[in-house]
Amino acid sequence: MSKLIVKKAAVLGAGVMGAQIAAHLANANVPVVLFDLPAKEGDKNGVVKKALDGLKKLDPAPLASKGKLKFIDAANYDEHLPLLAECDLVIEAIAERMDWKNDLYAKIGPFLSSTAIVASNTSGLSMNALAQGLPEAVRPRFCGIHFFNPPRYMHLVEIIGTQGTDAATLDALETWLTSRLGKGVIRALDTPNFVANRIGVFSILAVMHHTQAFGLGFDEVDALTGPKIGRPKSATYRTADVVGLDTLAHVVKTMQDTLPNDPWHAHFTNPAWLQALITKGALGQKTRCGIFRKQGKEIQVLDLAAQDYRKSAGEIADEVAAILKIKSPAEKFAALRASGHPQAQFLWAIFRDIFHYAAVQLENVADNARDLDLAMRWGFGWAQGPFETWQAAGWADTAQAVAADIAAGKAMAGVPLPAWALEAGRTGVHAAEGSYSASKNAYVARSTLPVYQRQLFPERVLGEVAPTPEKSGETLYENDGVRLWRLPAVDAGIGIISVKSKMHTIGNEVLDGVIAAVRQAEGTLDGVVVWHEAPFAVGANLQQVSEAIAAGQFDLLEQTVEKFQRASQTLKYAQVPVVAAVQGMALGGGCEFVMHAGKRVMALESYIGLVEAGVGLIPAGGGCKEFAVRAADWAAQSNVPGEVFNYLQNAFMTIAMAKVAKSAVEAIDYGFARPSDTILFNANELLWVAIREARAMADAGYVPPPMARAIPVAGKNGIATFEMMLVNMKEGGMISAHDYLVARSAAVALCGGEVETGSLVDEEWLITVERQLFVELLKNPLTQARIKHMLETGKPLCN
């Protein structure tokens, strides 16, 4: 297989999707030329420049940091088409009009590189039909690359080949998208709306149909079709508002126009109420009014009976809530079928019809059941795909129940279940040998592309037989909080430290385990990786802290803080390299562990921060100390060695405001990580890469850094300068008196304590200062109130 190298890319179309695709390419440091029509007035690149400016304002942010904009150049079709000759990948992302796309293809054809891959981001148009608009020489390098919105965050990308697409091109593209952009790639068939949108939009239509049939409210349905059944918080109707009611209507119209022979075709229509909202311009979130709207602080929902908005309530009946709490899927589905409550009957109906549709259409939309299930997970945020849910509920009994409803005329279509779904002895579609392919009538194993060998524990579907991290490898040491283990088949000399606590909180058992694991690694291994599935760590175990406060055990708390600092220092000064493999949240003490590792391998979607101020505390696991040491190092490299204050200001604001880096790139900007650290876009590759990083460091003769001594600190003058800033903020009503106290404590810790400016101290002095300040704050009733509130509500208290 030839390797795809993308030195420069082009994106054609600077609309919502095109601009964000360009942004994600820029996140991966791929230079991008973003094209659109020339502006009618002023700067001809005005359309693109407006789109680029808009990227900085979107939430969630499409850019890993605003600095990534430097990788995107603005261009227009009138002046800059020759730039396409420099591009290895060209992605078309204009409106879903076949004629417009064909016109654009004719325009760009003469300027394309002879080796460039050309792709369309169409969400449902025929790729084979689109290919006809390109020069014949380009067609073997043409395919669909369908990103999901927002492209940075949605894991799914569907690749759609044509009859003429070169197979090696698709393999190289899948490899590049998987590793470089971090995507979960599904090979979709060239059918309308491909896999995820075909199944997902049908699911929305089924919900709409049964909402009316059972007389439920939109808010009631959203309460039922969100996290309670493993779907996103936005559920169904809020999702429609977010996507845009006009966009949803367009996709439904595409299904109506292009799938005339689908047995469910009668349902491929937009309800009258939806069309009425669109006509009024109430398109959802982008117009601040759709199915839901916000009036002041009140969320309101459209009430069809009243033809007006009312306060959104969305309550689930007690009887149905009790059914949804049943742990056994088989018992839960049996209870839903047996219940006479409209909400229960609604839930059974939407599951029945999605099972029915997925089974009938499997051979037409996807190569196998695994692809369909993963597409729904990655593209629509479902916890399980429809086949996984069916299999968990008991395949045979559920199939019989679905078949009975079809026969009774209760289902949305009368077409029978395919014979394979009703085969005697069938227990599901996912098994040890792979996942069922209806078109091949066989079980299909996973892709053998070499890129997937980098994923030691890939995401699996229910029913696949695969090792889990907890039951893999050889255990070398274990206590209640930590397991030290290794994977001999990967590298017997590199250990893996995995935290076992809930949400990977850091309590006494974790601290003891980390120290013991590192000590053992120093004697028997070449290096260690700190890794477990996300989150990396959400900080100290506040429950343990709260219990100790209630018991007045402040001496014990100080001992625990001292142990925390010792654990951090153990990571930093270990005699073998320690690599932190970070994914998800690394907050508070988790961030301090990350900062003290010898190296970091971070997934792009890592959210790292020192958030202790939110509970009225300061970092005391060595976080303040580390920033003080680094400030001294940075000052030493400047023209004024010893002048450390300038290098503390950003750290002070980061700690005082409990800032969290929203990406691994920002984590470097904030100083939680270093420019030399590794950022990966595919979190499934973290462990594989981290083990190799640890091995490379060991083979290079790793020696831990020398213990920092004679560290110049900002001292009293630095504290006084920070105090002036805080006084202004307090008097301006920006912070409370307790915020002032907490921030001042952070200033004191960063400046090395109440000592003369320029004093030389060592690391032990710095961690003693931060520890003493931390314990004093723990004794403060206002801090105690913040901790209690966080434990009870999960939200910070402003007091």
Side-chain angles (χ1 to χ4, degrees):
M1 183 185 75
S2 59
K3 182 179 179 181
L4 174 61
I5 298 175
V6 180
K7 296 178 181 177
K8 180 181 283 189
V11 176
L12 312 179
V16 173
M17 282 300 291
Q20 291 197 62
I21 291 169
H24 196 53
L25 290 166
N27 288 337
N29 295 347
V30 176
V32 188
V33 185
L34 180 59
F35 283 85
D36 211 301
L37 295 168
K40 294 179 181 178
E41 297 179 357
D43 186 347
K44 280 196 170 186
N45 289 335
V47 174
V48 174
K49 288 182 177 178
K50 183 178 179 180
L52 294 178
D53 189 54
L55 290 175
K56 295 182 284 187
K57 302 170 186 176
L58 289 176
D59 185 25
L63 294 161
S65 75
K66 291 180 181 178
K68 294 294 182 180
L69 273 176
K70 67 186 178 185
F71 287 99
I72 308 177
D73 291 329
N76 67 80
Y77 301 128
D78 279 3
E79 299 177 307
H80 302 119
L81 287 179
L83 294 176
L84 291 173
E86 305 170 8
C87 297
D88 306 296
L89 175 64
V90 178
I91 300 174
E92 170 267 305
I94 68 171
E96 295 286 90
R97 286 271 301 268
M98 184 75 75
D99 53 342
W100 291 0
K101 290 178 188 288
N102 283 335
D103 286 347
L104 180 59
Y105 293 173
K107 188 179 295 185
I108 67 172
F111 299 95
L112 295 169
S113 161
S114 62
T115 58
I117 292 177
V118 181
S120 174
N121 184 57
T122 178
S123 60
L125 296 179
S126 168
M127 295 307 306
N128 281 289
L130 285 173
Q132 300 308 306
L134 285 163
E136 193 167 341
V138 177
R139 294 175 194 172
R141 293 176 278 109
F142 176 70
C143 64
I145 302 180
H146 181 213
F147 290 84
F148 278 67
N149 191 23
R152 171 183 164 186
Y153 299 96
M154 297 305 292
H155 191 52
L156 178 64
V157 167
E158 293 172 322
I159 293 182
I160 311 96
T162 72
Q163 294 173 355
T165 307
D166 179 63
T169 293
L170 294 177
D171 287 347
L173 186 59
E174 179 172 350
T175 297
W176 189 83
L177 288 167
T178 298
S179 202
R180 186 69 182 272
L181 294 191
K183 295 305 177 184
V185 175
I186 296 296
R187 299 278 187 103
L189 305 181
D190 188 20
T191 56
N193 288 1
F194 311 130
V195 183
N197 276 346
R198 179 77 172 271
I199 302 300
V201 173
F202 173 80
S203 176
I204 293 172
L205 289 171
V207 169
M208 289 180 174
H209 173 78
H210 292 300
T211 299
Q212 182 176 353
F214 290 98
L216 304 182
F218 297 136
D219 53 341
E220 191 178 1
V221 168
D222 270 11
L224 291 164
T225 60
K228 295 290 184 183
I229 62 168
R231 306 278 172 85
K233 289 181 180 179
S234 57
T236 303
Y237 292 108
R238 285 183 187 276
T239 296
D241 271 351
V242 170
V243 169
L245 301 186
D246 54 338
T247 302
L248 174 62
H250 173 78
V251 176
V252 173
K253 184 67 165 56
T254 299
M255 293 177 72
Q256 185 182 58
D257 293 345
T258 58
L259 295 167
N261 298 320
D262 191 301
W264 284 263
H265 185 265
H267 297 285
F268 298 166
T269 183
N270 294 299
W273 60 262
L274 178 61
Q275 198 57 53
L277 286 174
I278 294 170
T279 301
K280 290 195 306 183
L283 306 180
Q285 185 170 281
K286 58 189 171 186
T287 60
R288 300 187 179 181
C289 183
I291 300 168
F292 292 89
R293 73 179 185 186
K294 191 172 184 179
Q295 293 290 94
K297 293 185 178 181
E298 183 177 272
I299 303 297
Q300 297 183 339
V301 63
L302 180 64
D303 187 319
L304 293 182
Q307 288 293 297
D308 200 358
Y309 288 86
R310 60 168 171 79
K311 183 178 180 181
S312 177
E315 295 181 354
I316 300 177
D318 292 343
E319 173 188 335
V320 179
I323 294 174
L324 293 175
K325 290 179 182 177
I326 297 173
K327 291 186 177 180
S328 164
E331 293 177 13
K332 182 185 301 182
F333 274 86
L336 288 174
R337 293 196 299 270
S339 173
H341 196 284
Q343 290 184 355
Q345 287 297 300
F346 164 82
L347 286 172
W348 163 244
I350 64 170
F351 277 111
R352 174 198 64 214
D353 288 320
I354 193 66
F355 294 161
H356 187 193
Y357 191 76
V360 170
Q361 298 297 353
L362 175 59
E363 65 178 320
N364 300 318
V365 302
D367 177 70
N368 59 74
R370 177 181 53 250
D371 284 355
L372 190 150
D373 277 346
L374 290 177
M376 295 313 299
R377 282 203 209 173
W378 297 341
F380 276 75
W382 292 11
Q384 289 185 324
F387 289 125
E388 292 180 281
T389 304
W390 183 349
Q391 188 163 329
W395 186 276
D397 288 347
T398 303
Q400 290 300 324
V402 172
D405 276 9
I406 296 169
K410 295 180 179 179
M412 290 172 65
V415 61
L417 281 174
W420 62 262
L422 293 164
E423 285 176 349
R426 179 175 288 281
T427 58
V429 290
H430 304 303
E433 61 267 38
S435 293
Y436 183 73
S437 169
S439 59
K440 298 181 177 73
N441 190 27
Y443 281 82
V444 176
R446 281 181 173 258
S447 170
T448 57
L449 283 177
V451 69
Y452 294 115
Q453 295 174 14
R454 296 165 61 91
Q455 301 182 14
L456 300 180
F457 297 100
E459 186 174 343
R460 299 285 176 171
V461 292
L462 181 78
E464 276 190 284
V465 177
T468 61
E470 296 78 13
K471 296 182 179 180
S472 296
E474 176 188 351
T475 299
L476 304 175
Y477 162 83
E478 191 167 18
N479 74 347
D480 290 341
V482 160
R483 177 188 178 217
L484 172 65
W485 54 294
R486 62 182 171 187
L487 290 166
V490 179
D491 192 323
I494 304 299
I496 304 163
I497 297 176
S498 296
V499 175
K500 303 191 299 181
S501 58
K502 184 177 180 180
M503 295 294 287
H504 306 127
T505 55
I506 304 170
N508 266 302
E509 66 286 351
V510 172
L511 297 172
D512 289 335
V514 166
I515 293 170
V518 172
R519 293 293 175 243
Q520 180 161 336
E522 289 176 323
T524 61
L525 296 169
D526 300 325
V528 287
V529 171
V530 182
W531 175 86
H532 35 253
E533 294 175 321
F536 182 81
V538 296
N541 188 325
L542 281 182
Q543 189 61 48
Q544 287 184 0
V545 173
S546 181
E547 290 169 359
I549 289 173
Q553 297 174 325
F554 292 102
D555 288 345
L556 178 62
L557 284 168
E558 183 165 6
Q559 292 171 21
T560 300
V561 177
E562 190 276 332
K563 187 189 295 183
F564 207 133
Q565 294 173 329
R566 190 150 43 89
S568 294
Q569 293 291 82
T570 298
L571 293 172
K572 181 176 181 179
Y573 294 110
Q575 295 302 306
V576 293
V578 175
V579 176
V582 188
Q583 175 191 3
M585 293 181 291
L587 305 177
C591 176
E592 289 172 302
F593 273 6
V594 170
M595 292 175 70
H596 283 81
K599 185 175 178 63
R600 285 140 294 275
V601 176
M602 302 174 289
L604 177 70
E605 301 309 330
S606 296
Y607 306 96
I608 304 175
L610 296 171
V611 295
E612 287 84 354
V615 288
L617 295 168
I618 65 168
C624 294
K625 175 268 300 180
E626 271 301 288
F627 274 124
V629 171
R630 293 178 189 185
D633 289 341
W634 292 326
Q637 298 169 29
S638 70
N639 295 327
V640 282
E643 294 292 331
V644 299
F645 181 79
N646 289 339
Y647 300 97
L648 291 173
Q649 294 182 77
N650 288 338
F652 172 72
M653 294 304 297
T654 297
I655 292 172
M657 297 179 68
K659 288 184 179 179
V660 175
K662 300 294 179 61
S663 70
V665 178
E666 279 194 356
I668 293 172
D669 294 341
Y670 285 6
F672 302 134
R674 298 181 183 274
S676 58
D677 290 329
T678 299
I679 297 175
L680 298 177
F681 277 54
N682 197 318
N684 288 324
E685 297 180 353
L686 268 180
L687 182 57
W688 188 89
V689 173
I691 288 173
R692 277 152 182 76
E693 292 276 16
R695 167 53 59 197
M697 293 168 73
D699 288 350
Y702 177 79
V703 176
M707 186 77 73
R709 305 177 188 278
I711 305 161
V713 293
K716 293 178 180 178
N717 289 350
I719 297 169
T721 305
F722 283 133
E723 280 184 316
M724 285 191 292
M725 181 194 312
L726 293 172
V727 167
N728 290 335
M729 294 175 72
K730 180 183 172 186
E731 291 180 350
M734 299 170 64
I735 61 174
S736 68
H738 194 53
D739 290 329
Y740 176 94
L741 176 62
V742 173
R744 186 188 184 280
S745 298
V748 174
L750 288 170
C751 293
E754 305 275 3
V755 296
E756 296 301 321
T757 298
S759 295
L760 301 180
V761 302
D762 58 18
E763 287 193 50
E764 191 62 34
W765 171 272
L766 291 171
I767 61 175
T768 300
V769 169
E770 71 175 21
R771 181 172 69 246
Q772 290 173 347
L773 291 163
F774 182 92
V775 174
E776 284 304 309
L777 287 170
L778 276 179
K779 295 176 181 178
N780 190 302
L782 293 176
T783 286
Q784 293 171 14
R786 289 190 180 189
I787 293 172
K788 184 174 184 291
H789 190 267
M790 178 64 73
L791 286 170
E792 291 175 350
T793 69
K795 298 177 181 178
L797 173 67
C798 297
N799 61 355

